Amino acid sequence: MSRLDKAQLAAATATEGPVRLIAGAGTGKTAVIAERFRRLVAAGADPASILVMTFTDRAAGEMRRRIEELIGGEAPAVGTVHSIALGWLRADGWRVGVPARFRILAGAERWILARELMWKLGDPVLTADERPDDLVAPMLQMLERLKQELVPLRRLSEWSSTDKEADRAQLMRGCVDLFHEYERECRRRGLIDFDDLLERAVTMLSTNPSVLDGYRHRHPHVLVDEYQDLNLAQERLVELMAQGGRPLVVGDDDQSIYRFRGASRASLERFSLRFPDAQTITLGRNHRSSRRIVEAAASLIEHNSERLPKDLRSGRSGARVQLWLLPDGGTEAAAIAEEASRLAASGVPLSEIAVLCRTNAIARPVAGALAAIGLPHVVAGGQGMLGRPEIRDVIAMLRILNDPTDVIALARMFTRPPLSLAPEAALKVLGDRDGRPPLTSLLGWEPARDLAGLVEDLAAQALRLDVRDLFFELMNRTRYLEALTADLEASEGARCAANVSRFADGIAEFCDTSEDHSLASYMRHLDLVLLSGEDESPVAPDVDANAVSVMTIHQAKGLEFDVVFVPSLVEGRLPQSGRPQRFELPPAVLEPLVRGREDVIAEERRLLYVAMTRARRHLYLTRASQYEGGRRWRDSRFLDEVRSSGAVVEHSIPGREIPQPSPAPQAGEGSLVLSYSAIQAYRDCPRAYWYRYEQRLPAR
């Protein structure tokens, strides 16, 4: 049996009817769900009959581990809402027109399909836009929201016919036409996307009473974690499965931070309306963080007016929350790195130190400062797989085989592994060609001759080989991975090799869905993937390594550390300001409890609350007076709210000498001229920008 306090035990043993458990941060909600599961099994329930729904794969894994340790057996019905819906549709989706062998459409493939259909339809309201391809991603986000909120296309179409704003109505009608075509094409190809999993599962259960009864009989016990993170479609699945039963849902409106995924703090309110006899139990005692951290976090979150009341408290002693003021962003990053180093020297494991940032851009200077002093650190996310250096290398190699005159790709290949020639010498050879093809120039240069000959041979083979076989030949004959990983730390080398292997899997997946397996066809596809901006995550770094964690606040949800730093607490960064969305769903098409526009500042406040409550012992809230651009930044309004707790101590840290950039050239000395293509080239690949715009390397 778990060791629970009185309030936790009351929640775990409340089985007379539906229960809504409001569990503040660090109050032990996972332990409550696990104990509830154990008690059901002890009372005779089959573990397979207890359905446990969570929000993320990580949460599902942790929940399953805790439950199985407690019951000494398997808990087969623990999973995310999406994974559970996937299993149901595989078995019974045919009842609502979903083929049993459907394939999930996601990422760049989904973007490419939507773009293809947009140009096929040719509606000028979309294709006559200044940058039509830039409309695809926000339109798909709106389609996601439609499905998450169970809004039929018919309702959006009817609304657009009555909207008095002609431009907006026309835009919505164009979107509806595209969405209809998208749905038709997905049905034709046997595809469904992630949000279809939920919408189709809701339709299947709500229109087939016998199927619903069968699943209710299979899972008479329903437990749901992180209820505040569920969107309307996920809530409906819970309601359908639990209606007439005794579900336990656990959530915390103060930690509702996924509004961009359709989640709403109102989900807990909607549960009470759907289950009017539900008992509400509140957990407020924090078992994770020190008293002063909890006091500071409570003082902050109490400024959100429409929150469920809870008595947040802790009995654990600890240091005051530190508020740092620094003169500039460079000093702030360096101070965080130095304090992390000092803490590590005092005995705090590096793995117990985290820097939690509002955005990936804020994380980069801190990661740079940690690297500068040689402190091991792991940056979670922030860069997609296609942005990894090793993947940029293999893409450059494929570009050369497809077009041996691509000078930028040649410059990368010959100055990176496997050959790693000096950039100055390679650029001179590629720049001073006297009209000869670039590969011919490299064949005449002794240090590059062998690799250039290999490239020439593979380029000839590219005209007849399947791209999968060509990629194998490329990796095998260049020995690229061996050269790349020779000088890397073992775990990083393994990570690079795994990323290249995943890229090869992507080539195989392309061939599985395309009739043309040539390199030229694949490169056209890859260009669309890069254009989409959709990118999968690279292989994760070794989480068991003793290293400082640098991540966004969203990525830290569900984690905890002895020490937490939260940088850039200034207006415009935390909180960020909300921006109107061109493709935002009209409130009139949403259900009444979803219509109220969420308070952007309230959600930003919840984000900071989540970050603060990841800390067990030490919490640092930092900000600088100046960041890039030179203007002075105002302190975040949230700092005064934290100060009112009386649990903080303030420090003003003086500046230090920061390397200054070279003075800008004067007019007549090579003034900087920025074009859209130059800016886009830099965003895509700074190295390619440097070759083309700084070194003036010819494109061909």
Side-chain angles (χ1 to χ4, degrees):
M1 175 177 170
S2 301
R3 298 182 61 183
L4 306 182
D5 63 27
K6 184 177 179 180
Q8 290 173 321
L9 190 59
T13 57
T15 58
E16 295 304 312
V19 176
R20 182 182 73 158
L21 178 61
I22 310 301
T27 56
K29 63 183 178 61
T30 304
V32 171
I33 294 174
E35 176 61 18
R36 173 76 159 237
F37 195 108
R38 187 197 71 81
R39 286 174 174 269
L40 287 169
V41 172
D46 181 347
S49 73
I50 308 171
L51 182 65
V52 183
M53 295 178 165
T54 65
F55 183 61
T56 65
D57 289 327
R58 183 171 65 191
E62 174 64 14
M63 184 68 72
R64 184 180 299 107
R65 182 188 67 80
R66 294 278 291 271
I67 289 172
E68 291 180 346
E69 285 179 357
L70 204 56
I71 67 172
E74 292 187 354
V78 178
T80 65
V81 184
H82 280 93
S83 67
I84 291 166
L86 174 63
W88 293 347
L89 287 176
R90 289 284 186 209
D92 292 293
W94 59 271
R95 300 172 187 271
V96 286
V98 177
R101 299 177 64 85
F102 67 80
R103 189 165 63 84
I104 300 293
L105 180 68
E109 186 184 7
R110 178 168 169 262
W111 185 93
I112 290 170
L113 174 61
R115 176 187 181 272
E116 174 188 314
L117 295 174
M118 179 184 73
W119 286 105
K120 174 186 172 183
L121 290 174
D123 188 337
V125 74
L126 302 178
T127 57
D129 191 84
E130 184 176 354
R131 294 181 57 81
D133 288 346
D134 288 351
L135 303 182
V136 177
M139 282 192 292
L140 285 174
Q141 289 171 0
M142 187 170 75
L143 180 59
E144 290 171 9
R145 185 82 194 279
L146 283 166
K147 295 175 181 179
Q148 291 164 356
E149 303 300 348
L150 301 176
V151 177
L153 289 178
R154 168 185 45 78
R155 191 186 304 168
L156 182 60
S157 179
E158 290 171 353
W159 174 88
S160 66
S161 66
T162 61
D163 186 29
K164 295 180 180 179
E165 291 186 31
D167 290 345
R168 184 172 65 170
Q170 189 177 23
L171 182 65
M172 288 298 151
R173 285 194 291 273
C175 290
V176 168
D177 290 342
L178 175 61
F179 297 160
H180 276 304
E181 188 66 20
Y182 173 88
E183 297 298 327
R184 281 192 290 269
E185 189 64 19
C186 284
R187 282 195 298 272
R188 189 182 71 81
R189 300 189 190 187
L191 303 171
I192 68 174
D193 60 33
F194 278 110
D195 293 297
D196 283 329
L197 290 174
L198 304 175
E199 187 271 333
R200 303 290 172 82
V202 169
T203 300
M204 180 184 74
L205 295 182
S206 59
T207 59
N208 292 273
S210 62
V211 176
L212 177 58
D213 287 344
Y215 282 110
R216 282 179 176 171
H217 181 74
R218 184 186 302 178
H219 301 296
H221 310 286
V222 177
L223 315 178
V224 188
D225 191 18
E226 301 287 10
Y227 201 77
Q228 79 282 347
D229 289 333
L230 270 56
N231 56 46
L232 188 61
Q234 292 167 325
E235 290 176 41
R236 284 287 164 80
L237 278 181
V238 173
E239 293 164 7
L240 286 164
M241 286 297 295
Q243 202 68 49
R246 294 173 291 180
L248 167 68
V249 303
V250 182
D252 180 10
D253 56 318
D254 290 338
Q255 297 186 72
S256 178
I257 59 172
Y258 290 101
R259 183 169 54 95
F260 61 92
R261 292 181 182 171
S264 168
R265 60 174 184 77
S267 57
L268 290 163
E269 179 185 347
R270 290 195 290 263
F271 179 82
S272 292
L273 294 175
R274 300 289 184 183
F275 297 87
D277 58 339
Q279 177 185 0
T280 294
I281 299 174
T282 302
L283 301 180
R285 183 184 175 191
N286 189 308
H287 299 271
R288 173 195 303 152
S289 306
S290 71
R291 175 176 57 83
R292 283 169 168 156
I293 291 173
V294 172
E295 287 173 352
S299 180
L300 168 78
I301 203 63
E302 284 169 359
H303 285 78
N304 277 357
S305 57
E306 297 182 1
R307 58 185 288 267
L308 297 172
K310 54 189 78 72
D311 179 19
L312 302 174
R313 62 198 185 281
S314 171
R316 303 182 64 180
S317 61
R320 291 181 178 274
V321 175
Q322 295 203 35
L323 305 187
W324 286 3
L325 172 63
L326 303 105
D328 55 75
T331 303
E332 179 185 30
I336 290 172
E338 290 173 5
E339 180 69 359
S341 179
R342 185 192 69 79
L343 289 164
S346 73
V348 178
L350 289 176
S351 58
E352 288 295 340
I353 302 173
V355 183
L356 308 183
C357 306
R358 178 62 181 87
T359 64
N360 288 309
I362 292 170
R364 292 186 194 111
V366 180
L370 291 167
I373 64 172
L375 201 63
H377 63 284
V378 171
V379 180
Q383 182 184 51
M385 191 183 74
L386 296 175
R388 291 277 303 179
E390 63 271 18
I391 302 303
R392 289 189 183 277
D393 288 347
V394 297
I395 290 175
M397 294 179 192
L398 289 173
R399 289 198 186 283
I400 294 164
L401 301 189
N402 189 53
D403 177 9
T405 68
D406 189 330
V407 178
I408 303 300
L410 282 165
R412 183 177 187 104
M413 181 175 183
F414 281 79
T415 59
R416 292 274 298 164
L419 207 52
S420 299
L421 295 172
E424 297 80 4
L427 292 176
K428 180 173 175 55
V429 171
L430 288 169
D432 301 334
R433 303 196 311 265
D434 294 328
R436 292 176 298 169
L439 197 55
T440 302
S441 295
L442 291 170
L443 284 166
W445 184 33
E446 178 62 31
R449 182 171 298 149
D450 289 346
L451 184 58
L454 176 59
V455 167
E456 189 175 49
D457 181 46
L458 288 173
Q461 292 189 46
L463 299 175
R464 59 179 180 80
L465 279 183
D466 182 301
V467 66
R468 291 169 293 192
D469 297 331
L470 180 67
F471 188 74
F472 174 80
E473 286 294 308
L474 177 65
M475 292 295 100
N476 185 48
R477 293 180 63 182
T478 61
R479 319 306 297 175
Y480 167 73
L481 282 175
E482 291 178 20
L484 175 70
T485 58
D487 297 325
L488 295 176
E489 189 270 328
S491 64
E492 181 60 19
R495 187 184 183 202
C496 290
N499 282 325
V500 173
S501 177
R502 186 180 287 181
F503 183 81
D505 290 342
I507 294 177
E509 289 171 5
F510 163 79
C511 291
D512 288 342
T513 59
S514 173
E515 294 182 359
D516 186 347
H517 297 177
S518 68
L519 173 63
S521 176
Y522 174 72
M523 294 310 293
R524 288 192 294 271
H525 167 77
L526 181 60
D527 284 339
L528 287 174
V529 171
L530 294 168
L531 179 63
S532 77
E534 299 283 345
D535 195 359
E536 63 179 297
S537 298
V539 173
D542 182 4
V543 295
D544 295 326
N546 189 29
V548 175
S549 296
V550 183
M551 64 183 72
T552 67
I553 299 171
H554 284 101
Q555 290 167 331
K557 184 79 180 294
L559 302 178
E560 54 187 73
F561 304 89
D562 281 348
V563 181
V564 167
F565 295 87
V566 186
S568 290
L569 279 168
V570 292
E571 290 291 318
R573 291 192 166 190
L574 187 54
Q576 290 187 344
S577 56
R579 297 179 181 177
Q581 300 290 328
R582 184 179 179 187
F583 291 93
E584 191 168 15
L585 276 182
V589 305
L590 302 172
E591 291 209 1
L593 277 175
V594 182
R595 289 180 186 176
R597 183 182 177 88
E598 291 276 349
D599 184 341
V600 173
I601 296 300
E603 173 136 335
E604 294 290 302
R605 188 177 283 111
R606 291 194 292 269
L607 265 174
L608 180 55
Y609 173 80
V610 166
M612 293 172 69
T613 53
R614 300 311 93 196
R616 298 192 196 99
R617 297 168 50 201
H618 300 284
L619 175 62
Y620 300 78
L621 307 180
T622 74
R623 82 280 191 196
S625 298
Q626 286 185 310
Y627 291 96
E628 63 278 357
R631 72 177 178 91
R632 295 189 67 82
W633 292 68
R634 291 187 295 114
D635 287 358
S636 169
R637 70 193 73 184
F638 298 153
L639 290 174
D640 281 339
E641 298 171 6
V642 171
R643 286 187 182 101
S644 65
S645 68
V648 305
V649 59
E650 307 216 29
H651 297 282
S652 182
I653 299 175
R656 60 195 67 195
E657 188 173 340
I658 303 291
Q660 296 298 314
S662 302
Q666 300 298 312
E669 297 180 357
S671 300
L672 180 64
V673 178
L674 291 177
S675 65
Y676 174 81
S677 57
I679 294 171
Q680 190 63 40
Y682 182 83
R683 291 177 62 188
D684 290 343
C685 180
R687 182 185 289 265
Y689 170 88
W690 184 75
Y691 287 146
R692 179 165 294 170
Y693 293 97
E694 295 293 329
Q695 299 303 307
R696 303 296 179 186
L697 202 61
R700 290 286 186 271

